[in-house]
Amino acid sequence: SDLQKQEERGELLQPLIFVLLVLCSVLLYFKVSLMDPGFVKPEEEMKEGENKGQGVVIPQIPGDIRLRRCGYCLVKQPMRAKHCQLCQHCVRRYDHHCPWLENCVGERNHPLFIVFLSVQLVVLLWGGHVAWSGLYFEQSWEWLQHNIFLLVSFLLIFIFTIVVLLLLVSQLYLISCNTTTWEFMSSHRISYLRHSELENPFDQGIILNLWRFFC
């Protein structure tokens, strides 16, 4: 049959890979949006010994910085945690609240969020290539009527690709510096950054920052 001949020529391999990538992207979306991003639980409040231990790991942070109790959910916030008013929880290593996910990006789901963006970018680039290869331009109304859907699809894919690419690049840059979106945007309002002698006391070099984040 024609299907068997296409399979023998390898013409079904690329569509199959594309479908698998789309499926992987959808599964990653639900995984990142539904999982716990690192909510701080009341029973997980850090003890004084753990607080001192954290000062050993990051000696550049002044010793007079004390963990504060959240005014909303009343838990003692670990360093780099922030209360999200949309999720009504404090999130460990809070990066940002993503409206597309309806969830925070924090300590637990941040690496998966980067994987999701990477897979999504591959899908968009592939889809954009397919849409562009199907276009042939003619200056006629009849051509526009027959190709309007493909043209609009390509423009939408192009816009989404730019957005995802910029987000992924900015996220990888912040990760390589061992900082978060919240810390980058609000460093003047965060006590452990405002009183630190260094601009970023968590930065331990690009390689070590990436290793600790992903591994």
Side-chain angles (χ1 to χ4, degrees):
S1 64
D2 293 339
L3 191 62
Q4 289 176 333
K5 292 179 180 179
Q6 289 178 341
E7 184 179 2
E8 291 174 358
R9 293 196 300 263
E11 296 178 1
L12 295 180
L13 182 60
Q14 289 188 358
L16 180 61
I17 295 176
F18 181 78
V19 171
L20 290 177
L21 282 174
V22 173
L23 180 60
C24 179
S25 175
V26 173
L27 293 177
L28 282 169
Y29 172 83
F30 283 108
K31 177 66 175 178
V32 176
S33 62
L34 296 177
M35 73 180 296
D36 178 356
F39 294 135
V40 181
K41 306 296 193 305
E43 61 270 15
E44 295 176 354
E45 289 189 0
M46 300 178 69
K47 300 177 182 179
E48 283 297 322
E50 294 173 331
N51 190 17
K52 291 178 182 178
Q54 197 171 34
V56 174
V57 177
I58 311 170
Q60 296 91 341
I61 294 178
D64 58 346
I65 301 296
R66 295 287 179 266
L67 300 183
R68 70 183 186 89
R69 191 169 294 276
C70 176
Y72 296 96
C73 51
L74 302 180
V75 297
K76 187 176 289 185
Q77 285 185 335
M79 192 171 291
R80 311 191 78 177
K82 182 184 181 297
H83 183 86
C84 176
Q85 297 190 9
L86 295 174
C87 293
Q88 294 297 309
H89 283 287
C90 286
V91 180
R92 295 179 183 273
R93 201 182 183 280
Y94 175 87
D95 189 83
H96 69 284
H97 181 92
C98 181
W100 304 106
L101 298 173
E102 279 297 327
N103 194 15
C104 284
V105 176
E107 185 178 71
R108 295 189 61 189
N109 64 350
H110 201 171
L112 275 180
F113 178 69
I114 299 300
V115 176
F116 165 70
L117 289 179
S118 302
V119 174
Q120 191 67 49
L121 181 61
V122 173
V123 171
L124 287 169
L125 289 173
W126 196 335
H129 171 71
V130 172
W132 178 259
S133 63
L135 286 173
Y136 60 96
F137 294 96
E138 295 181 4
Q139 294 182 353
S140 66
W141 176 250
E142 184 179 355
W143 174 89
L144 185 61
Q145 284 181 318
H146 285 88
N147 293 273
I148 185 66
F149 178 76
L150 193 59
L151 186 60
V152 171
S153 299
F154 175 76
L155 291 176
L156 288 176
I157 290 174
F158 178 77
I159 293 172
F160 289 140
T161 300
I162 296 299
V163 172
V164 173
L165 178 62
L166 291 176
L167 181 57
L168 179 59
V169 170
S170 64
Q171 284 286 306
L172 289 176
Y173 169 74
L174 294 175
I175 292 168
S176 67
C177 299
N178 197 2
T179 188
T180 64
T181 302
W182 172 58
E183 291 172 340
F184 181 78
M185 300 293 292
S186 307
S187 59
H188 60 286
R189 296 192 291 113
I190 302 174
S191 59
Y192 59 80
L193 294 180
R194 190 172 65 247
H195 297 109
S196 175
E197 296 178 0
L198 300 177
E199 183 177 355
N200 179 15
F202 303 104
D203 188 6
Q204 297 179 306
I206 295 177
I207 296 178
L208 191 56
N209 291 337
L210 292 174
W211 173 263
R212 291 195 168 184
F213 180 84
F214 288 106
C215 305

